[in-house]
Amino acid sequence: MTLFPKDLQTFQLPDAELIYNPCFYDNTSALQIFNSLKEEILWQQDEITLFGKTHKQPRLTSLYATNSIPYSYSNITMRPHKMTQLLLKLLKDVESATNEKFTSILLNFYRHGKDSNGWHADNEKELGSSPTIASLSFGETRKFQFKHRNLKTEKHQLDLTSGSLLIMKPPMQQFWLHQIPKTQKEVGERINLTFRKIE
């Protein structure tokens, strides 16, 4: 099922609530933010081991935080950089919109359609049992797919546009998986920021 919101929308699904604002930032601001993030962020490409084989992750990543606590997922441990002025502004904007407090921002840089992020949940122990995860997107529109772990008919997707804000409320990370799939289409660069609380 494909969801097509035109403005601020709330989706009530089994074991999940999503809030999506496709126009959290206007087009001009979104482009400026994208260009600044592309140049300022300290991007890295970690290796990941799946089924006994080691590959480079199909995207670039970086971690920034207001504290020094590392974040681990898929046998990768990331140590945070100090927040930049731009990231602090984005953090303030997202906290104001969500009424949540976050400590860390995990950034993903999708360079083309072959860059992706496979099925997963943001359920690492550092995030607590019922985290709220907020996500900003800048650059090319990419599909965000999500499916329930147990209810096989509950499969959905959203087109995440530049300047959009997606909020995944608890207990979504406990019951749902999500991904940014590869695409054969010619697509440009996209930067995604996910806001988390790691203490």
PDB file of all heavy atoms in Angstrom, residues 67-90:
ATOM      1  N   ASN A  67      26.703  14.264  23.244  1.00  0.00           N
ATOM      2  CA  ASN A  67      27.524  13.583  24.239  1.00  0.00           C
ATOM      3  C   ASN A  67      28.577  12.749  23.505  1.00  0.00           C
ATOM      4  O   ASN A  67      28.716  12.861  22.290  1.00  0.00           O
ATOM      5  CB  ASN A  67      26.653  12.717  25.170  1.00  0.00           C
ATOM      6  CG  ASN A  67      25.807  11.699  24.403  1.00  0.00           C
ATOM      7  OD1 ASN A  67      26.214  11.189  23.351  1.00  0.00           O
ATOM      8  ND2 ASN A  67      24.625  11.395  24.920  1.00  0.00           N
ATOM      9  N   SER A  68      29.320  11.931  24.238  1.00  0.00           N
ATOM     10  CA  SER A  68      30.402  11.146  23.635  1.00  0.00           C
ATOM     11  C   SER A  68      30.075   9.661  23.582  1.00  0.00           C
ATOM     12  O   SER A  68      30.973   8.832  23.400  1.00  0.00           O
ATOM     13  CB  SER A  68      31.705  11.368  24.415  1.00  0.00           C
ATOM     14  OG  SER A  68      31.532  10.984  25.779  1.00  0.00           O
ATOM     15  N   ILE A  69      28.801   9.300  23.711  1.00  0.00           N
ATOM     16  CA  ILE A  69      28.419   7.891  23.771  1.00  0.00           C
ATOM     17  C   ILE A  69      28.396   7.288  22.370  1.00  0.00           C
ATOM     18  O   ILE A  69      27.745   7.820  21.475  1.00  0.00           O
ATOM     19  CB  ILE A  69      27.037   7.735  24.442  1.00  0.00           C
ATOM     20  CG1 ILE A  69      27.082   8.311  25.861  1.00  0.00           C
ATOM     21  CG2 ILE A  69      26.610   6.276  24.477  1.00  0.00           C
ATOM     22  CD1 ILE A  69      25.740   8.318  26.555  1.00  0.00           C
ATOM     23  N   PRO A  70      29.104   6.173  22.154  1.00  0.00           N
ATOM     24  CA  PRO A  70      29.095   5.540  20.832  1.00  0.00           C
ATOM     25  C   PRO A  70      27.764   4.851  20.551  1.00  0.00           C
ATOM     26  O   PRO A  70      26.945   4.646  21.463  1.00  0.00           O
ATOM     27  CB  PRO A  70      30.239   4.526  20.920  1.00  0.00           C
ATOM     28  CG  PRO A  70      30.357   4.218  22.376  1.00  0.00           C
ATOM     29  CD  PRO A  70      29.982   5.478  23.106  1.00  0.00           C
ATOM     30  N   TYR A  71      27.575   4.491  19.297  1.00  0.00           N
ATOM     31  CA  TYR A  71      26.355   3.813  18.865  1.00  0.00           C
ATOM     32  C   TYR A  71      26.753   2.600  18.038  1.00  0.00           C
ATOM     33  O   TYR A  71      27.581   2.708  17.124  1.00  0.00           O
ATOM     34  CB  TYR A  71      25.481   4.764  18.034  1.00  0.00           C
ATOM     35  CG  TYR A  71      24.212   4.145  17.503  1.00  0.00           C
ATOM     36  CD1 TYR A  71      23.286   3.581  18.366  1.00  0.00           C
ATOM     37  CD2 TYR A  71      23.933   4.141  16.137  1.00  0.00           C
ATOM     38  CE1 TYR A  71      22.108   3.020  17.886  1.00  0.00           C
ATOM     39  CE2 TYR A  71      22.761   3.590  15.645  1.00  0.00           C
ATOM     40  CZ  TYR A  71      21.854   3.031  16.522  1.00  0.00           C
ATOM     41  OH  TYR A  71      20.700   2.473  16.041  1.00  0.00           O
ATOM     42  N   SER A  72      26.182   1.442  18.368  1.00  0.00           N
ATOM     43  CA  SER A  72      26.544   0.199  17.693  1.00  0.00           C
ATOM     44  C   SER A  72      25.334  -0.418  17.008  1.00  0.00           C
ATOM     45  O   SER A  72      24.243  -0.467  17.574  1.00  0.00           O
ATOM     46  CB  SER A  72      27.130  -0.807  18.698  1.00  0.00           C
ATOM     47  OG  SER A  72      28.310  -0.308  19.296  1.00  0.00           O
ATOM     48  N   TYR A  73      25.556  -0.889  15.766  1.00  0.00           N
ATOM     49  CA  TYR A  73      24.535  -1.640  15.041  1.00  0.00           C
ATOM     50  C   TYR A  73      25.242  -2.504  14.006  1.00  0.00           C
ATOM     51  O   TYR A  73      26.282  -2.122  13.466  1.00  0.00           O
ATOM     52  CB  TYR A  73      23.527  -0.706  14.359  1.00  0.00           C
ATOM     53  CG  TYR A  73      24.088   0.119  13.227  1.00  0.00           C
ATOM     54  CD1 TYR A  73      23.952  -0.285  11.899  1.00  0.00           C
ATOM     55  CD2 TYR A  73      24.788   1.289  13.480  1.00  0.00           C
ATOM     56  CE1 TYR A  73      24.477   0.470  10.862  1.00  0.00           C
ATOM     57  CE2 TYR A  73      25.322   2.043  12.448  1.00  0.00           C
ATOM     58  CZ  TYR A  73      25.164   1.626  11.148  1.00  0.00           C
ATOM     59  OH  TYR A  73      25.703   2.361  10.116  1.00  0.00           O
ATOM     60  N   SER A  74      24.693  -3.686  13.744  1.00  0.00           N
ATOM     61  CA  SER A  74      25.242  -4.608  12.732  1.00  0.00           C
ATOM     62  C   SER A  74      26.747  -4.809  12.887  1.00  0.00           C
ATOM     63  O   SER A  74      27.498  -4.814  11.918  1.00  0.00           O
ATOM     64  CB  SER A  74      24.920  -4.091  11.317  1.00  0.00           C
ATOM     65  OG  SER A  74      23.539  -3.981  11.127  1.00  0.00           O
ATOM     66  N   ASN A  75      27.199  -4.964  14.134  1.00  0.00           N
ATOM     67  CA  ASN A  75      28.621  -5.166  14.445  1.00  0.00           C
ATOM     68  C   ASN A  75      29.499  -3.981  14.052  1.00  0.00           C
ATOM     69  O   ASN A  75      30.712  -4.131  13.890  1.00  0.00           O
ATOM     70  CB  ASN A  75      29.143  -6.452  13.786  1.00  0.00           C
ATOM     71  CG  ASN A  75      28.474  -7.697  14.341  1.00  0.00           C
ATOM     72  OD1 ASN A  75      28.280  -7.826  15.544  1.00  0.00           O
ATOM     73  ND2 ASN A  75      28.093  -8.613  13.455  1.00  0.00           N
ATOM     74  N   ILE A  76      28.895  -2.816  13.892  1.00  0.00           N
ATOM     75  CA  ILE A  76      29.633  -1.577  13.645  1.00  0.00           C
ATOM     76  C   ILE A  76      29.469  -0.677  14.867  1.00  0.00           C
ATOM     77  O   ILE A  76      28.351  -0.503  15.363  1.00  0.00           O
ATOM     78  CB  ILE A  76      29.101  -0.855  12.404  1.00  0.00           C
ATOM     79  CG1 ILE A  76      29.353  -1.684  11.141  1.00  0.00           C
ATOM     80  CG2 ILE A  76      29.735   0.527  12.254  1.00  0.00           C
ATOM     81  CD1 ILE A  76      28.671  -1.127   9.912  1.00  0.00           C
ATOM     82  N   THR A  77      30.557  -0.146  15.367  1.00  0.00           N
ATOM     83  CA  THR A  77      30.497   0.813  16.466  1.00  0.00           C
ATOM     84  C   THR A  77      30.960   2.169  15.951  1.00  0.00           C
ATOM     85  O   THR A  77      32.092   2.303  15.466  1.00  0.00           O
ATOM     86  CB  THR A  77      31.369   0.371  17.652  1.00  0.00           C
ATOM     87  OG1 THR A  77      30.862  -0.863  18.173  1.00  0.00           O
ATOM     88  CG2 THR A  77      31.332   1.429  18.759  1.00  0.00           C
ATOM     89  N   MET A  78      30.063   3.164  16.034  1.00  0.00           N
ATOM     90  CA  MET A  78      30.374   4.502  15.578  1.00  0.00           C
ATOM     91  C   MET A  78      30.592   5.414  16.781  1.00  0.00           C
ATOM     92  O   MET A  78      29.820   5.377  17.747  1.00  0.00           O
ATOM     93  CB  MET A  78      29.235   5.048  14.710  1.00  0.00           C
ATOM     94  CG  MET A  78      28.914   4.195  13.506  1.00  0.00           C
ATOM     95  SD  MET A  78      27.684   4.971  12.423  1.00  0.00           S
ATOM     96  CE  MET A  78      28.688   6.308  11.716  1.00  0.00           C
ATOM     97  N   ARG A  79      31.636   6.217  16.713  1.00  0.00           N
ATOM     98  CA  ARG A  79      31.908   7.177  17.776  1.00  0.00           C
ATOM     99  C   ARG A  79      31.537   8.572  17.270  1.00  0.00           C
ATOM    100  O   ARG A  79      31.912   8.948  16.162  1.00  0.00           O
ATOM    101  CB  ARG A  79      33.365   7.098  18.207  1.00  0.00           C
ATOM    102  CG  ARG A  79      33.722   5.694  18.670  1.00  0.00           C
ATOM    103  CD  ARG A  79      35.010   5.609  19.439  1.00  0.00           C
ATOM    104  NE  ARG A  79      35.239   4.236  19.881  1.00  0.00           N
ATOM    105  CZ  ARG A  79      34.686   3.689  20.952  1.00  0.00           C
ATOM    106  NH1 ARG A  79      33.869   4.407  21.705  1.00  0.00           N
ATOM    107  NH2 ARG A  79      34.935   2.437  21.270  1.00  0.00           N
ATOM    108  N   PRO A  80      30.805   9.320  18.064  1.00  0.00           N
ATOM    109  CA  PRO A  80      30.226  10.565  17.551  1.00  0.00           C
ATOM    110  C   PRO A  80      31.221  11.707  17.420  1.00  0.00           C
ATOM    111  O   PRO A  80      32.172  11.823  18.190  1.00  0.00           O
ATOM    112  CB  PRO A  80      29.164  10.907  18.599  1.00  0.00           C
ATOM    113  CG  PRO A  80      29.677  10.301  19.862  1.00  0.00           C
ATOM    114  CD  PRO A  80      30.380   9.037  19.451  1.00  0.00           C
ATOM    115  N   HIS A  81      30.961  12.537  16.413  1.00  0.00           N
ATOM    116  CA  HIS A  81      31.641  13.816  16.273  1.00  0.00           C
ATOM    117  C   HIS A  81      30.847  14.874  17.041  1.00  0.00           C
ATOM    118  O   HIS A  81      29.661  14.688  17.357  1.00  0.00           O
ATOM    119  CB  HIS A  81      31.718  14.224  14.801  1.00  0.00           C
ATOM    120  CG  HIS A  81      32.387  13.199  13.931  1.00  0.00           C
ATOM    121  ND1 HIS A  81      33.732  12.927  13.988  1.00  0.00           N
ATOM    122  CD2 HIS A  81      31.874  12.376  12.965  1.00  0.00           C
ATOM    123  CE1 HIS A  81      34.038  11.996  13.111  1.00  0.00           C
ATOM    124  NE2 HIS A  81      32.929  11.640  12.477  1.00  0.00           N
ATOM    125  N   LYS A  82      31.494  15.990  17.313  1.00  0.00           N
ATOM    126  CA  LYS A  82      30.825  17.108  17.973  1.00  0.00           C
ATOM    127  C   LYS A  82      29.843  17.765  17.010  1.00  0.00           C
ATOM    128  O   LYS A  82      30.125  17.931  15.830  1.00  0.00           O
ATOM    129  CB  LYS A  82      31.858  18.126  18.445  1.00  0.00           C
ATOM    130  CG  LYS A  82      31.269  19.293  19.223  1.00  0.00           C
ATOM    131  CD  LYS A  82      32.374  20.245  19.670  1.00  0.00           C
ATOM    132  CE  LYS A  82      31.782  21.433  20.431  1.00  0.00           C
ATOM    133  NZ  LYS A  82      32.844  22.379  20.871  1.00  0.00           N
ATOM    134  N   MET A  83      28.691  18.135  17.510  1.00  0.00           N
ATOM    135  CA  MET A  83      27.653  18.751  16.686  1.00  0.00           C
ATOM    136  C   MET A  83      28.154  20.034  16.015  1.00  0.00           C
ATOM    137  O   MET A  83      28.829  20.854  16.639  1.00  0.00           O
ATOM    138  CB  MET A  83      26.437  19.096  17.543  1.00  0.00           C
ATOM    139  CG  MET A  83      25.633  17.891  18.001  1.00  0.00           C
ATOM    140  SD  MET A  83      24.507  17.319  16.712  1.00  0.00           S
ATOM    141  CE  MET A  83      23.377  16.343  17.719  1.00  0.00           C
ATOM    142  N   THR A  84      27.802  20.215  14.755  1.00  0.00           N
ATOM    143  CA  THR A  84      28.063  21.470  14.055  1.00  0.00           C
ATOM    144  C   THR A  84      26.931  22.456  14.351  1.00  0.00           C
ATOM    145  O   THR A  84      25.878  22.080  14.884  1.00  0.00           O
ATOM    146  CB  THR A  84      28.151  21.233  12.544  1.00  0.00           C
ATOM    147  OG1 THR A  84      26.846  20.850  12.069  1.00  0.00           O
ATOM    148  CG2 THR A  84      29.160  20.147  12.205  1.00  0.00           C
ATOM    149  N   GLN A  85      27.137  23.713  13.979  1.00  0.00           N
ATOM    150  CA  GLN A  85      26.089  24.711  14.185  1.00  0.00           C
ATOM    151  C   GLN A  85      24.832  24.373  13.386  1.00  0.00           C
ATOM    152  O   GLN A  85      23.708  24.542  13.879  1.00  0.00           O
ATOM    153  CB  GLN A  85      26.613  26.098  13.788  1.00  0.00           C
ATOM    154  CG  GLN A  85      27.632  26.666  14.765  1.00  0.00           C
ATOM    155  CD  GLN A  85      27.086  26.812  16.174  1.00  0.00           C
ATOM    156  OE1 GLN A  85      26.010  27.375  16.386  1.00  0.00           O
ATOM    157  NE2 GLN A  85      27.815  26.280  17.139  1.00  0.00           N
ATOM    158  N   LEU A  86      25.004  23.877  12.169  1.00  0.00           N
ATOM    159  CA  LEU A  86      23.837  23.500  11.366  1.00  0.00           C
ATOM    160  C   LEU A  86      23.086  22.340  12.003  1.00  0.00           C
ATOM    161  O   LEU A  86      21.852  22.371  12.100  1.00  0.00           O
ATOM    162  CB  LEU A  86      24.273  23.120   9.948  1.00  0.00           C
ATOM    163  CG  LEU A  86      23.169  22.561   9.037  1.00  0.00           C
ATOM    164  CD1 LEU A  86      21.999  23.528   8.910  1.00  0.00           C
ATOM    165  CD2 LEU A  86      23.740  22.222   7.657  1.00  0.00           C
ATOM    166  N   LEU A  87      23.809  21.328  12.465  1.00  0.00           N
ATOM    167  CA  LEU A  87      23.135  20.190  13.089  1.00  0.00           C
ATOM    168  C   LEU A  87      22.417  20.599  14.371  1.00  0.00           C
ATOM    169  O   LEU A  87      21.333  20.092  14.670  1.00  0.00           O
ATOM    170  CB  LEU A  87      24.141  19.075  13.366  1.00  0.00           C
ATOM    171  CG  LEU A  87      24.710  18.365  12.133  1.00  0.00           C
ATOM    172  CD1 LEU A  87      25.725  17.298  12.555  1.00  0.00           C
ATOM    173  CD2 LEU A  87      23.602  17.738  11.294  1.00  0.00           C
ATOM    174  N   LEU A  88      22.996  21.519  15.118  1.00  0.00           N
ATOM    175  CA  LEU A  88      22.328  22.001  16.331  1.00  0.00           C
ATOM    176  C   LEU A  88      21.026  22.721  15.983  1.00  0.00           C
ATOM    177  O   LEU A  88      20.029  22.591  16.700  1.00  0.00           O
ATOM    178  CB  LEU A  88      23.256  22.924  17.115  1.00  0.00           C
ATOM    179  CG  LEU A  88      24.408  22.237  17.861  1.00  0.00           C
ATOM    180  CD1 LEU A  88      25.355  23.282  18.431  1.00  0.00           C
ATOM    181  CD2 LEU A  88      23.872  21.325  18.975  1.00  0.00           C
ATOM    182  N   LYS A  89      21.019  23.464  14.886  1.00  0.00           N
ATOM    183  CA  LYS A  89      19.791  24.131  14.451  1.00  0.00           C
ATOM    184  C   LYS A  89      18.736  23.110  14.035  1.00  0.00           C
ATOM    185  O   LYS A  89      17.560  23.222  14.409  1.00  0.00           O
ATOM    186  CB  LYS A  89      20.066  25.082  13.291  1.00  0.00           C
ATOM    187  CG  LYS A  89      18.796  25.791  12.797  1.00  0.00           C
ATOM    188  CD  LYS A  89      19.015  26.551  11.527  1.00  0.00           C
ATOM    189  CE  LYS A  89      17.722  27.271  11.093  1.00  0.00           C
ATOM    190  NZ  LYS A  89      16.569  26.342  10.959  1.00  0.00           N
ATOM    191  N   LEU A  90      19.148  22.106  13.254  1.00  0.00           N
ATOM    192  CA  LEU A  90      18.207  21.075  12.834  1.00  0.00           C
ATOM    193  C   LEU A  90      17.685  20.306  14.046  1.00  0.00           C
ATOM    194  O   LEU A  90      16.495  19.963  14.116  1.00  0.00           O
ATOM    195  CB  LEU A  90      18.874  20.115  11.843  1.00  0.00           C
ATOM    196  CG  LEU A  90      19.387  20.733  10.541  1.00  0.00           C
ATOM    197  CD1 LEU A  90      20.037  19.662   9.671  1.00  0.00           C
ATOM    198  CD2 LEU A  90      18.280  21.452   9.777  1.00  0.00           C
TER     199      LEU A  90
END
